[in-house]
Amino acid sequence: MKILVISNMYPSAADPSYGTFVRNFYEDIVRRNAEADTRLVTIRGRRGSKWAKLAAYIRFYASALHALTARSYDMVYVHTVTFPTPALRIASWLRRLPLVLNVHGDDVLPQTSLKKRLKEMSRPLMAGTRLMVVPSAYFADVVRREFPELDPGRIYVSASGGVDRKFFVDRPDKADTDAITLGFVSRIDPGKGWAEFVRLVHDLRMRGIDCRAVMAGGGSQQRALTDAIVRAGLSGVIDYRGPLSQQELVDIYRHMDLFIFPTVREQESLGLVALEAMAAGVPVVASDMAGPTSYVHHGINGYLFEPGNVDAMADSVASWIALAPDARERMSREAVATAGDYEARSVADRLWQRLAAEFKR
């Protein structure tokens, strides 16, 4: 099968965590489609200035248009639809495209005026797609609401590449007297909950709870985060690592006691980082909204709390601390079992079977 994969997100050496789910998907498709031709058109890593970003997108659109019009493909798989839309619309006027659209948060729930215009531009593509791949059951409902013209039978749930097997690791033994370690891995951007996480650590320590924290991720508010840590007097308590590769994340997950996921974004279509933590046996304390509600089961493999409510978040952490050791271990096992349902190879197998069935028609 001749396959073209298009995405404006892909990791680079300087930006290793950017679009890892796209890279994982592409590498898997290349393996499965080894006897045929699989091509990738993408932008690797973020650009630091608006001019560098503009130049990157000009090259991206030129490459995408050439790939779409110079030859025919059996399948055109598009990850993150918003920004590829202009090239796709132009190419669709010239020939019929066998599209599979894999949508994520901002594709469907845009926050900027530009993204809102691109969303409206994408409607004909959405209506005509052979298959719409969404990260979670939650987001399937959002897509049905936002694109009522789309045939619901064309929506398929597949968890953004799933959880790589390397995240399923044992955690080191820890003495009961040790401080608990809280973890936060996310983009450091508005709505991701990094400020609430800093407040959580401060409030827990004010309650007399001995805790430490590790944070990882890059984003537009990194400076604001480091300033907030200093202002809260937590410089020796919160270890902020910046953006990390997946292999580096494996090591920090396995040293966490609880993973905190305080997003307040309706666009949080899945939250793969929380599932990666679960794979290492780390229960998740998450906002009771959006993607996490698909897999965090209150009191079973973690806790759900009212979004934005730091006191409720702290109460959830305190509830876990109050558990007997065997109850903590049971919650850890449940977290691993949940992550097992999202294991990457199984997710990829099911998606490939669905794609093969669709394009044999």
Side-chain angles (χ1 to χ4, degrees):
M1 190 186 308
K2 295 191 295 295
I3 301 174
L4 175 63
V5 178
I6 299 175
S7 176
N8 63 312
M9 298 177 64
Y10 205 84
S12 68
D15 201 354
S17 63
Y18 185 61
T20 53
F21 59 94
V22 178
R23 181 196 62 200
N24 294 344
F25 167 83
Y26 174 69
E27 291 177 351
D28 182 76
I29 288 293
V30 168
R31 287 192 296 269
R32 293 173 188 272
N33 199 41
E35 296 181 1
D37 177 25
T38 305
R39 183 178 176 188
L40 173 68
V41 175
T42 192
I43 299 175
R44 296 177 186 269
R46 298 178 183 85
R47 299 299 187 272
S49 72
K50 64 179 181 180
W51 298 113
K53 187 173 184 178
L54 177 61
Y57 270 95
I58 290 172
R59 292 192 296 271
F60 173 67
Y61 287 134
S63 297
L65 278 170
H66 181 265
L68 289 164
T69 57
R71 62 176 298 186
S72 296
Y73 289 91
D74 300 305
M75 182 198 312
V76 176
Y77 196 106
V78 185
H79 255 295
T80 62
V81 175
T82 302
F83 285 104
T85 285
L88 294 169
R89 284 295 306 274
I90 293 171
S92 69
W93 297 332
L94 302 174
R95 63 168 36 162
R96 186 176 181 83
L97 301 177
L99 286 176
V100 176
L101 302 180
N102 196 320
V103 297
H104 302 271
D106 284 350
D107 295 324
V108 181
L109 299 171
Q111 293 182 293
T112 67
S113 58
L114 173 59
K115 289 182 179 180
K116 288 175 182 177
R117 288 196 295 270
L118 289 171
K119 173 186 174 180
E120 292 308 308
M121 185 186 293
S122 75
R123 281 191 181 276
L125 301 173
M126 301 286 192
T129 185
R130 294 281 291 274
L131 199 66
M132 175 81 79
V133 182
V134 299
S136 64
Y138 153 75
F139 213 62
D141 290 338
V142 172
V143 167
R144 282 191 284 267
R145 183 189 75 208
E146 295 294 320
F147 294 98
E149 64 271 33
L150 175 65
D151 178 357
R154 295 184 180 181
I155 299 174
Y156 179 74
V157 176
S158 183
S160 296
V163 181
D164 194 286
R165 196 69 223 173
K166 63 174 169 279
F167 289 103
F168 290 83
V169 293
D170 293 330
R171 289 189 295 161
D173 293 333
K174 191 171 184 179
D176 291 341
T177 55
D178 290 347
I180 67 165
T181 300
L182 306 178
F184 177 97
V185 177
S186 174
R187 290 288 301 165
I188 311 301
D189 286 332
K192 287 292 193 174
W194 61 264
E196 288 78 6
F197 181 79
V198 173
R199 285 174 51 203
L200 168 69
V201 176
H202 177 269
D203 290 0
L204 287 172
R205 292 177 68 82
M206 293 299 292
R207 293 188 187 195
I209 295 173
D210 188 12
C211 65
R212 297 290 184 272
V214 59
M215 301 181 74
S220 62
Q221 295 184 311
Q222 286 180 246
R223 179 60 182 273
L225 167 60
T226 55
D227 289 347
I229 291 171
V230 171
R231 285 197 306 272
L234 298 172
S235 298
V237 177
I238 296 178
D239 179 12
Y240 173 51
R241 306 279 185 89
L244 299 178
S245 68
Q246 283 196 311
Q247 191 55 53
E248 289 171 318
L249 287 174
V250 170
D251 188 58
I252 69 167
Y253 285 137
R254 65 190 295 268
H255 287 92
M256 295 176 186
D257 292 300
L258 290 173
F259 184 87
I260 312 299
F261 197 36
T263 183
V264 292
R265 298 177 74 249
E266 190 183 5
Q267 295 87 350
E268 202 74 64
S269 53
L270 179 64
L272 194 58
V273 288
L275 286 163
E276 291 169 351
M278 282 185 165
V282 182
V284 171
V285 178
S287 299
D288 189 6
M289 65 175 294
T293 59
S294 299
Y295 52 85
V296 178
H297 308 299
H298 189 77
I300 306 298
N301 59 10
Y303 299 92
L304 294 167
F305 64 89
E306 179 186 4
N309 188 330
V310 177
D311 286 339
M313 200 188 327
D315 290 343
S316 294
V317 174
S319 294
W320 179 84
I321 292 171
L323 293 176
D326 61 332
R328 290 188 189 180
E329 180 59 29
R330 187 163 54 250
M331 187 173 283
S332 178
R333 290 196 302 270
E334 290 287 349
V336 175
T338 298
D341 293 336
Y342 293 84
E343 191 273 327
R345 183 52 60 90
S346 297
V347 169
D349 284 345
R350 293 191 295 268
L351 176 58
W352 182 251
Q353 290 167 9
R354 182 67 180 85
L355 293 171
E358 177 62 36
F359 286 91
K360 283 180 181 176
R361 296 178 183 180

